[in-house]
Amino acid sequence: MILSAAALVFSALAVRHQISDSVPDIAPAVRRVAATAQLASQEYRVGIVNGRVVSQAEVDEARLFLQESRRSAALLPAKFRLSTISSIDSLLALVSAAGSPDSVDARVKRLTTSLSTALGVPLDQVPPEAPSLARGAQVFRTNCASCHGELGRGDGPMAKGMEPKPADLSAAAELRDQSPLDYYRRVSIGIVGTAMPAFETRLSPEDRWAAALYASVLRLPNASGSAPPALQSFGSTGRMSDSQLLAALGERNDGSNGLARVAAVRQFRADGSAAADARIFTQVRAQIESVYALARTGDTSASSRAFDAYMTFEQVERPVRAKNPGLAADLEAGFASLRTRVAGGATGAELDRIRRQLDADLENAERTLADQPSALNLFIQSFVILLREGFEAILLVGALMTFLARMGAAHRKRDIHIGVGAAAVASLLTAFALETIFHLTSAKREALEGLTMALATVVLFYVSYWLLSKMEVAKWNHFVKSKVQDALTSGSGLALASAAFLAVYREGFETVLFYKALFVTGGSPAATMPILAGILLGSLVMVVVYLAINRFGLRLPLKPFFGVTSGFLYYMAFVFAGKAVAELQEGGMISTTIVLGAPRVPALGIYPTVESLLAQGVLIALLILALAWTFVIEPRRRHRPESALPEPLHREPVVAIPAPVPPEASRDLLRSLERMEADLSEMRSEVERMKGNLTDAPESRSRKT
């Protein structure tokens, strides 16, 4: 009896194992059977109205879809094959007899539901978040525009001579009953009887969904309004037609206003997706922790828990793969290795190595999705960089010119102009060289980006401290005046031009470096526009400031300017430090050591790794030291009175021990001292004579009176 029970349990497990193993193989066939039957039902409803054929072409297309569904049913397991084919044959008979569209819908629904339930295959894998319309536009242009045209009007260059013609995707009235899911099915399996091919094996599901959503908005006007909370999940709206969305929005007709609201729903992407991604990554890490806890105790369920962790990761795999295909592939391989090795045979050291690699890859994946600086933030940083660097260059050149005039060397201004022009050219060449290096070393791009940001961090911190130390106007004037005096003392035109060149080129080099680091921080083509807008506005402000200083003698408050820009530059250095470490970790140049429970604030470049937190901790320590030196230690040293120095209790006589002097030098020194003594004697005699004259004068005056 015990053996019989064991046999039954073993048989049940074996059957379950066989079914689970067979699902991945039969899933495409099941979905194809269901999709073609559902499309047939839709086409048939268009062709039959009130029991009368109004469009024979639609009825014929419905029949073709059912025949395709019947062919796909031949790929199902034998147990389900015959019953499915029989159901489809009954549908074909109903269509031939011009039966009720409602009856066709009901039978199709019964067929697809029974298949999905019996084989455990979900029919429609609608993503919870809307696909990228930008990606959809790219996929559409590459694969669909040749027939459907750039605007989807069915007028592409290959449409000529096609019969039937490609569908006009801009016809809103005719397509109001179509959903993105319907488009996805057509993109996946094609349309029988037409030139529309199946893209199921040509495009990934992500690209098919992106193209489907893009195609479904070609018929809509510009979006207006916002998506209500109930219609913000693509898992729901992706299944809804325009007519259904209009009803859900409370619109009574499909006029332009109603369709504009539909467009707003179609184009909605959840602002909270970053928070949702963070929750998913947290869940994956917790599941991996559970896997290792089970593996350490020898529990055989560790492998299935590892599979659960991978299934959780799949929720964010699509966007990770879209941004970094190599990283997504590494994670897939890492999860597969984890499942295999925890099942048995792996040493503790091997499991630790797999875990460290998975943790590092998950950290990079989360950064890939979370590191999306706002356009406003990029714009402000871009504007402040140019404002600070340009303003300092203007101050330097203006100060150089002013001190030249004060020292009576106004004719030397030409040397200043030469130096400034050479610095501008050198800055442009530096920018070109930096971009060339990035293009030539694309294989190590992450490492190069990390090194660039690390250098930008060091320079930013130095510049912020340098500005801080020059906050007082007296310090600034002394700094500039000393440079001009040194150049004028040498008497060389090259020296003065070099002083101007170095002063301006330093600003140009810093500008090139900071902007390259800022573009790296943006991380996407979408970041280009706000950065360029900041450059444009900064340039306009610089022109206004230059004219105001030169024509109207405007005096700018240096102390507040240096104070504010120093703080902002330090903020940028802090952010760049964290992101530089992240880039170097992604490039494999430094290790990734996760700190459990540490915060993650991408806007500040804060990541939960020992390496990034250590780099930013060093910056904080340096900031404290710089502030203490600038505002506490140095002022005390500079203003400490001599009387404040402690006096010794017992002053001992100081005996000077002369150093040995060569004989020749001794003779010369002796002669010099003798001459000095003679001169001093003569001066004393002259002083005595003058004193005598002054004392004799009153006596002589009294005798005369």
Side-chain angles (χ1 to χ4, degrees):
M1 186 173 179
I2 296 176
L3 291 175
S4 300
L8 287 173
V9 172
F10 179 80
S11 300
L13 291 174
V15 170
R16 181 180 177 185
H17 186 263
Q18 289 174 359
I19 291 177
S20 64
D21 283 348
S22 63
V23 167
D25 297 328
I26 65 172
V30 172
R31 293 185 181 125
R32 191 174 185 84
V33 169
T36 48
Q38 289 164 336
L39 289 172
S41 175
Q42 290 179 359
E43 298 296 335
Y44 185 72
R45 180 171 290 280
V46 176
I48 298 289
V49 177
N50 297 326
R52 186 170 57 87
V53 177
V54 296
S55 175
Q56 188 60 47
E58 302 295 339
V59 174
D60 292 341
E61 194 168 348
R63 188 179 293 108
L64 288 172
F65 272 124
L66 286 173
Q67 290 171 353
E68 180 63 27
S69 181
R70 192 179 190 281
R71 280 192 291 272
S72 299
L75 302 175
L76 297 175
K79 181 179 178 180
F80 304 97
R81 186 185 308 144
L82 294 178
S83 60
T84 303
I85 291 176
S86 176
S87 297
I88 296 173
D89 286 341
S90 66
L91 281 168
L92 283 167
L94 187 60
V95 167
S96 298
S100 167
D102 291 338
S103 299
V104 173
D105 282 346
R107 292 192 186 188
V108 167
K109 187 173 182 179
R110 189 162 55 246
L111 168 65
T112 56
T113 302
S114 62
L115 274 177
S116 176
T117 303
L119 293 172
V121 177
L123 298 181
D124 299 317
Q125 297 175 310
V126 182
E129 294 181 9
S132 167
L133 281 173
R135 177 61 181 165
Q138 182 179 355
V139 174
F140 185 88
R141 284 193 296 269
T142 303
N143 299 277
C144 312
S146 59
C147 295
H148 290 282
E150 291 290 334
L151 301 179
R153 295 172 179 169
D155 56 355
M158 295 181 63
K160 297 177 181 178
M162 285 187 177
E163 189 60 40
K165 296 288 185 183
D168 181 1
L169 303 178
S170 65
E174 290 81 358
L175 299 173
R176 63 179 180 272
D177 61 338
Q178 299 294 300
S179 68
L181 176 58
D182 297 326
Y183 278 78
Y184 176 78
R185 290 167 178 163
R186 284 176 166 82
V187 171
S188 297
I189 66 176
I191 299 179
V192 292
T194 72
M196 174 76 176
F199 287 93
E200 191 170 24
T201 58
R202 304 186 190 185
L203 297 175
S204 66
E206 294 79 18
D207 283 350
R208 279 180 275 148
W209 269 113
L213 179 61
Y214 179 77
S216 68
V217 301
L218 288 173
R219 61 180 182 261
L220 300 175
N222 293 330
S224 176
S226 59
L231 297 175
Q232 292 181 359
S233 170
F234 187 74
S236 300
T237 60
R239 303 171 185 271
M240 299 172 69
S241 65
D242 290 356
S243 298
Q244 291 171 323
L245 281 179
L246 286 169
L249 290 167
E251 294 286 343
R252 297 183 179 179
N253 56 62
D254 57 356
S256 58
N257 291 336
L259 291 178
R261 294 189 63 192
V262 170
V265 174
R266 294 279 187 231
Q267 298 176 29
F268 174 81
R269 299 198 76 186
D271 294 333
S273 59
D277 291 344
R279 287 193 295 270
I280 291 171
F281 279 106
T282 300
Q283 184 179 355
V284 171
R285 292 188 180 99
Q287 289 174 317
I288 291 176
E289 180 67 27
S290 174
V291 169
Y292 280 94
L294 292 172
R296 283 192 293 268
T297 61
D299 194 322
T300 56
S301 64
S303 181
S304 61
R305 291 290 182 90
F307 181 75
D308 293 340
Y310 173 67
M311 294 304 293
T312 304
F313 169 72
E314 271 203 330
Q315 299 178 55
V316 292
E317 182 182 6
R318 177 173 59 87
V320 171
R321 189 176 296 278
K323 293 188 174 183
N324 193 333
L327 179 59
D330 290 343
L331 277 163
E332 217 168 20
F335 277 109
S337 178
L338 178 65
R339 291 197 305 273
T340 303
R341 302 308 298 157
V342 297
T347 63
E350 184 181 2
L351 290 178
D352 288 340
R353 180 185 58 78
I354 295 173
R355 181 178 185 177
R356 285 195 300 270
Q357 187 60 49
L358 260 181
D359 286 343
D361 288 342
L362 285 171
E363 172 64 23
N364 289 333
E366 188 164 2
R367 291 173 186 169
T368 299
L369 299 184
D371 285 10
Q372 298 175 356
S374 68
L376 179 61
N377 193 353
L378 291 172
F379 168 78
I380 293 175
Q381 292 187 59
S382 174
F383 172 71
V384 172
I385 287 174
L386 191 62
L387 183 69
R388 211 286 310 171
E389 298 296 329
F391 186 40
E392 188 177 343
I394 290 175
L395 286 177
L396 282 169
V397 175
L400 290 173
M401 296 290 191
T402 301
F403 282 114
L404 276 180
R406 288 182 182 177
M407 294 176 183
H411 60 284
R412 301 283 299 276
K413 289 183 178 181
R414 179 175 175 274
D415 298 333
I416 300 290
H417 293 148
I418 293 174
V420 171
V425 173
S427 299
L428 293 175
L429 292 176
T430 301
F432 177 77
L434 189 60
E435 273 305 306
T436 303
I437 292 172
F438 266 78
H439 284 297
L440 292 178
T441 57
S442 57
K444 295 290 185 180
R445 190 176 186 88
E446 291 87 0
L448 186 58
E449 289 175 348
L451 292 173
T452 301
M453 296 185 74
L455 178 59
T457 300
V458 174
V459 176
L460 274 168
F461 182 79
Y462 167 74
V463 171
S464 65
Y465 172 72
W466 187 88
L467 282 177
L468 205 62
S469 66
K470 298 293 183 292
M471 282 177 63
E472 300 294 341
V473 178
K475 290 184 182 181
W476 174 266
N477 289 337
H478 176 73
F479 168 77
V480 177
K481 188 175 182 179
S482 64
K483 297 298 180 184
V484 178
Q485 285 177 334
D486 291 343
L488 289 176
T489 302
S490 68
S492 169
L494 181 61
L496 194 57
S498 299
F501 172 84
L502 292 175
V504 177
Y505 178 68
R506 193 197 73 173
E507 309 304 323
F509 175 78
E510 290 170 1
T511 302
V512 170
L513 181 63
F514 296 163
Y515 272 112
K516 185 60 188 178
L518 190 60
F519 277 109
V520 171
T521 303
S524 67
T528 303
M529 289 308 298
I531 295 176
L532 292 179
I535 293 174
L536 178 61
L537 181 60
S539 302
L540 293 175
V541 172
M542 284 299 96
V543 170
V544 173
V545 169
Y546 180 78
L547 293 176
I549 291 175
N550 282 272
R551 292 193 177 184
F552 306 107
L554 177 67
R555 297 178 65 86
L556 298 174
L558 294 184
K559 187 171 182 177
F561 171 78
F562 285 155
V564 172
T565 53
S566 291
F568 196 85
L569 291 181
Y570 176 79
Y571 155 75
M572 292 180 64
F574 187 83
V575 174
F576 283 178
K579 292 185 179 291
V581 173
E583 292 288 344
L584 292 173
Q585 287 172 332
E586 189 173 346
M589 294 189 68
I590 60 177
S591 60
T592 303
T593 309
I594 305 298
V595 180
L596 296 178
R600 176 190 299 277
V601 189
L604 296 177
I606 298 175
Y607 302 103
T609 69
V610 170
E611 295 78 10
S612 62
L613 293 175
L614 181 61
Q616 292 180 321
V618 170
L619 271 185
I620 293 175
L622 289 174
L623 173 65
I624 295 172
L625 290 175
L627 291 173
W629 176 266
T630 303
F631 295 108
V632 180
I633 300 173
E634 190 181 15
R636 287 182 179 177
R637 292 182 58 193
R638 190 169 61 247
H639 297 104
R640 184 165 52 187
E642 294 295 332
S643 60
L645 295 175
E647 293 288 339
L649 295 177
H650 300 286
R651 181 170 298 176
E652 299 291 339
V654 178
V655 179
I657 301 176
V661 182
E664 298 82 2
S666 298
R667 287 194 296 271
D668 294 339
L669 181 59
L670 184 60
R671 283 195 293 269
S672 298
L673 289 173
E674 290 173 349
R675 284 196 298 270
M676 290 174 64
E677 185 177 11
D679 292 339
L680 287 172
S681 299
E682 186 177 352
M683 289 178 65
R684 279 195 295 270
S685 299
E686 183 64 23
V687 169
E688 292 296 331
R689 187 184 63 78
M690 293 175 66
K691 287 172 64 178
N693 291 337
L694 290 173
T695 54
D696 292 342
E699 296 178 0
S700 61
R701 283 197 298 272
S702 61
R703 282 196 298 269
K704 290 180 180 179
T705 56

